């Protein structure tokens, strides 16, 4: 489809190939790159090479140093950090993984994707929503992502737009630049939308980034719905990590137990059907009173239940080190003295069940975008928008995935709940 600006001038494409052609080419490359026994998701290149390719670009990305912070905790699950002092958002990005290489690549890629979102290297254009609609273009409905007390720009008010692509409708869609960019400083120019990293993702190719972003959106939706689960439901969904029969998960569980902590894993998969897990780590020694940071949680989503569970466990370990290091710019020091909320005690005392059985997908399906889209389509999700945001100059791809019909984290959004959350509340 040839996309025209409101004045009739053809827009310059975001890349040499249209989005669907890029994704098809990436899928073929990812399938050929599949390595049996890979402990993480399918990658075009391995973790060490990913970091090596990005390292020459650290100055442009604002990354001044990397550090292994695994040793700040006694558990020993690898966690790395990448530091960007002049960030417009958080100065420290952390990464976790089953190995130091995976954790290092995770930290660097997160720092790089945020740097690109803070200064998107793509030209946007000014137009009003009415001009775009009158010219026959599809325009993203951002009302569910408005900030509290804010409204969208008026129909005849000029805004700045980027070109996205709706993977389900298979057509271009224009998205407000503010909605997908990141700037938490007072220098921010526009204040309509609640900016966040939800659905922001990177990869060695566009398809990797899209799959990561889509999994994150499904994960965030599932965890928002999980909040309405009663204690009995939480108990019933506690999974014994041993049921996976996976050496990587067994190693993670052994490290946690050896450090005198308790791992609990919960199957929080929603009606979408893509596997989502929540992991918690808490002290093995029972206390009468627990502090807020005594319970660390992590989440993971992936087509492979094994990979999703591994992501959740490693993220819980990362959460502990984040709490220990105080590396998050947005931490309130008073949180360290807060008591654990009473309703969270169920996660400490839940007993794992070993009746669970999880089927692994065929290897080629892990690189198939359609395999990730079909569960959404079956649940009546009508739109999945991907906004390519650049990164190719650094040998990577960054995108933002937007799915209006899935629930989003609270943040400072004007509309706290969407239809799926309201239905979940009514079912309780």
């Amino acid at each position: 489809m040839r996309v025209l600006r409101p004045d009739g001038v053809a827009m310059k494409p975001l890349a040499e190939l249209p989005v669907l052609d890029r994704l098809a080419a990436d899928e073929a490359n990812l399938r050929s790159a599949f390595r049996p026994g890979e402990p993480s998701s399918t990658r075009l290149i391995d973790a060490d090479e990913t970091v090596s390719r990005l390292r020459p670009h650290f100055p442009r990305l604002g990354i001044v140093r990397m550090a292994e912070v695994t040793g700040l905790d006694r558990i020993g699950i690898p966690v790395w950090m990448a530091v960007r002092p002049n960030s417009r958002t958080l100065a420290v990005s952390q990464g976790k993984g089953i190995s130091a290489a995976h954790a290092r690549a995770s930290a660097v890629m997160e720092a790089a994707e945020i740097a690109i979102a803070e200064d998107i290297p793509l030209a946007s254009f000014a137009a009003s929503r009415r001009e775009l609609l009158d010219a026959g273009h599809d325009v993203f409905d951002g009302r569910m992502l408005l900030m509290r007390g804010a409204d969208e720009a008026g129909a005849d008010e000029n805004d700045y737009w980027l070109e996205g692509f709706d993977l389900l409708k298979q057509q271009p869609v224009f998205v407000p630049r503010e909605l997908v960019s990141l700037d938490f400083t007072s220098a921010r120019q526009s204040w309509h939308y609640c900016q966040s990293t939800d659905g922001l993702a990177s990869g060695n190719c566009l398809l990797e980034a899209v799959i990561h972003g889509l999994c994150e959106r499904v994960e965030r939706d599932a965890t928002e719905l999980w909040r309405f689960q009663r204690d009995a439901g939480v108990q019933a969904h506690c999974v014994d990590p041993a049921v996976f029969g996976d050496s990587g998960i067994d190693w993670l569980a052994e490290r946690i137990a050896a450090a005198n902590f308790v791992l609990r894993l919960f199957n929080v998969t929603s009606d979408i059907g893509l596997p989502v897990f929540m992991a918690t780590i808490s002290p093995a020694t029972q206390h009468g009173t627990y502090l807020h940071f005594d319970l660390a949680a992590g989440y993971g989503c992936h087509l492979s239940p094994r990979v999703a569970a591994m992501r959740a466990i490693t993220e819980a370990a990362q959460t502990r080190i984040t709490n220990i290091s105080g590396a998050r710019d947005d931490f309130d020091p008073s949180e360290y003295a807060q008591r654990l909320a009473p309703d969270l005690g169920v996660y400490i005392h839940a007993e794992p069940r070993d009746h669970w059985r999880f089927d692994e997908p065929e290897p080629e399906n892990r690189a198939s975008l359609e395999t990730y889209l079909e569960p959404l389509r079956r649940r009546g999700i009508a739109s999945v928008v991907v906004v390519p945001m650049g990164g190719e100059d650094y040998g990577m791809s960054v995108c933002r995935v937007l799915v209006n019909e899935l629930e989003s984290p609270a943040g400072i959004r004007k509309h706290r709940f969407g239809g799926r959350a309201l239905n979940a509340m009514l079912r309780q």
Side-chain angles (χ1 to χ4, degrees):
M1 177 179 176
R2 185 165 176 256
V3 180
L4 302 179
R5 293 194 326 223
D7 58 9
V9 177
M11 291 187 62
K12 181 181 178 181
L14 295 175
E16 294 298 321
L17 289 174
V19 169
L20 286 181
D21 291 343
R22 289 180 66 187
L23 293 174
D26 290 346
E27 186 168 319
N29 290 333
L30 276 175
R31 287 187 176 183
S32 64
F34 177 76
R35 294 175 292 277
E38 168 64 33
S40 184
S41 185
T42 302
R43 311 283 186 184
L44 195 59
I45 59 176
D46 67 28
D48 279 329
E49 186 178 349
T50 295
V51 176
S52 295
R53 285 172 55 172
L54 273 174
R55 192 181 293 274
H57 305 293
F58 281 6
R60 290 176 62 194
L61 293 166
I63 300 173
V64 299
R65 64 184 181 276
M66 293 189 299
E68 182 174 11
V69 289
T70 309
L72 293 178
D73 197 3
R74 63 179 186 267
I75 292 177
I77 293 173
V79 178
W80 277 69
M81 66 179 357
V83 183
R84 299 175 51 246
N86 291 325
S87 170
R88 297 180 193 171
T89 52
L90 299 180
V92 174
S93 295
Q94 293 199 142
K96 73 286 185 188
I98 193 71
S99 70
H102 283 92
R104 186 165 51 243
S106 174
V108 168
M109 291 294 272
E110 180 177 293
E113 73 192 33
I114 292 175
I116 288 171
E118 289 175 355
D119 188 16
I120 302 172
L122 299 173
S124 53
F125 68 96
S128 70
R129 184 176 296 268
R130 192 185 307 279
E131 285 178 310
L132 289 172
L133 293 173
D134 288 348
H137 300 309
D138 194 14
V139 178
F140 184 76
D141 182 352
R143 286 176 293 181
M144 288 303 297
L145 298 173
L146 287 169
M147 296 177 67
R148 282 199 295 265
D151 291 302
E152 289 189 303
D156 295 309
E157 182 181 346
N158 267 4
D159 204 349
Y160 288 92
W161 304 86
L162 290 172
E163 181 189 344
F165 192 85
D166 194 318
L167 297 173
L168 293 184
K169 296 178 181 177
Q170 297 206 348
Q171 64 185 36
V173 55
F174 291 106
V175 178
R177 184 186 182 101
E178 180 202 359
L179 196 152
V180 298
S181 61
L182 292 176
D183 187 352
F184 296 170
T185 71
S186 58
R188 179 173 163 183
Q189 297 296 309
S190 185
W191 297 86
H192 297 292
Y193 300 102
C194 181
Q195 293 185 346
S196 79
T197 60
D198 184 29
L200 176 67
S202 58
N204 296 298
C205 62
L206 181 59
L207 180 57
E208 275 188 28
V210 170
I211 289 176
H212 294 166
L214 188 54
C215 283
E216 183 168 81
R217 286 297 296 116
V218 171
E219 172 197 307
R220 298 290 171 82
D221 172 81
T223 55
E224 287 300 307
L225 301 183
W226 179 255
R227 295 178 190 277
F228 304 114
Q229 190 72 245
R230 297 181 185 274
D231 284 3
V234 172
Q235 293 271 8
H237 286 81
C238 190
V239 178
D240 186 341
V243 304
F244 290 94
D246 180 82
S247 59
I249 292 176
D250 291 343
W251 180 82
L252 293 170
E254 289 164 6
R255 295 293 305 182
I256 293 168
N260 202 33
F261 289 99
V262 173
L263 168 67
R264 290 292 180 259
L265 191 63
F266 301 88
N267 180 6
V268 303
T269 305
S270 72
D271 58 328
I272 299 296
L274 285 175
V276 182
F277 288 89
M278 173 186 182
T280 63
I281 298 175
S282 59
T285 304
Q286 296 290 312
H287 299 287
T289 300
Y290 289 88
L291 294 178
H292 177 69
F293 283 151
D294 282 334
L295 183 70
Y299 305 89
C301 173
H302 194 270
L303 187 67
S304 160
R306 177 186 62 82
V307 173
M310 192 176 297
R311 285 181 174 179
I313 298 169
T314 55
E315 185 172 276
Q318 174 186 285
T319 298
R320 275 189 52 82
I321 288 183
T322 303
N323 297 341
I324 291 168
S325 67
R328 284 285 295 258
D329 307 54
D330 57 349
F331 265 10
D332 183 337
S334 66
E335 290 182 277
Y336 288 91
Q338 286 180 7
R339 291 191 175 187
L340 185 70
D343 60 321
L344 297 180
V346 63
Y347 294 101
I348 292 177
H349 302 295
E351 291 299 326
R353 320 223 173 167
D354 61 4
H355 67 275
W356 296 92
R357 295 296 179 268
F358 300 102
D359 296 326
E360 284 293 310
E362 294 298 322
E364 62 269 17
N365 287 339
R366 289 169 58 170
S368 167
L369 178 60
E370 180 56 31
T371 309
Y372 290 83
L373 292 176
E374 181 55 28
L376 294 164
R377 192 181 286 113
R378 285 199 306 266
R379 296 307 304 170
I381 303 298
S383 174
V384 173
V385 173
V386 56
V387 184
M389 296 166 62
E392 285 72 23
D393 289 348
Y394 306 118
M396 63 184 294
S397 290
V398 177
C399 73
R400 178 79 185 272
V401 176
L402 302 166
V403 189
N404 254 345
E405 294 160 279
L406 295 182
E407 296 297 318
S408 299
I412 53 171
R413 291 186 303 118
K414 185 176 187 177
H415 304 289
R416 175 65 181 90
F417 299 118
R420 288 171 55 78
L422 293 174
N423 287 333
M425 280 189 278
L426 291 173
R427 288 195 296 267
Q428 293 304 313

